[in-house]
Amino acid sequence: MESHVTVDDITNRLPRPLVPEEQRVVETYIKDAEALILDAFSQCSKCLDDWLDAGEHRERIYALVVTDMVLAPVFMGVSRGMKQASSTTAHQTDSATWTDYAAMTSTWGGVVLTKRHLEMLGLNCKPLGMFNFPRPFRSPEVMPPWARQ
């Protein structure tokens, strides 16, 4: 599959040009973002190529999602997800607070496919359970009289 987003597309949205090392990182982020989207389509039993061929507006949506996924780690860098940061010059005291540490550790420094991105791509599928278990009984205090024995 050909890439719909290039390094130049990302660079045009940044306030400064990228150095060569950053360009290699952006290329990797683009590949990672496209792979995540392809996996999401596969999990929903849909074909990404067919979805893209259905209209030119879908190519723009796809490019917008990939660009958004790549710009977050590039533009924010190590500060992505940071809620608060403070620094003291005397005796060098630094501290930082992140929004959700558990979520940040698994995607530190990489691209993230959010629920908003999935909705933009029309991927609202949810995994279904294999069995339909009955609802559990509630506590006796709130059970209806006919269910008590």
Side-chain angles (χ1 to χ4, degrees), residues 2 18 21 33 40 52 69 104 108 132 138 142:
E2 67 182 55
L18 296 174
E21 292 82 17
L52 288 170
M69 290 172 68
M104 291 304 297
W108 189 261
N132 189 10
R138 296 182 284 177
V142 293

Side-chain angles (χ1 to χ4, degrees), residues 18-26:
L18 296 174
V19 296
E21 292 82 17
E22 291 175 321
Q23 289 181 354
R24 286 193 299 272
V25 171
V26 168

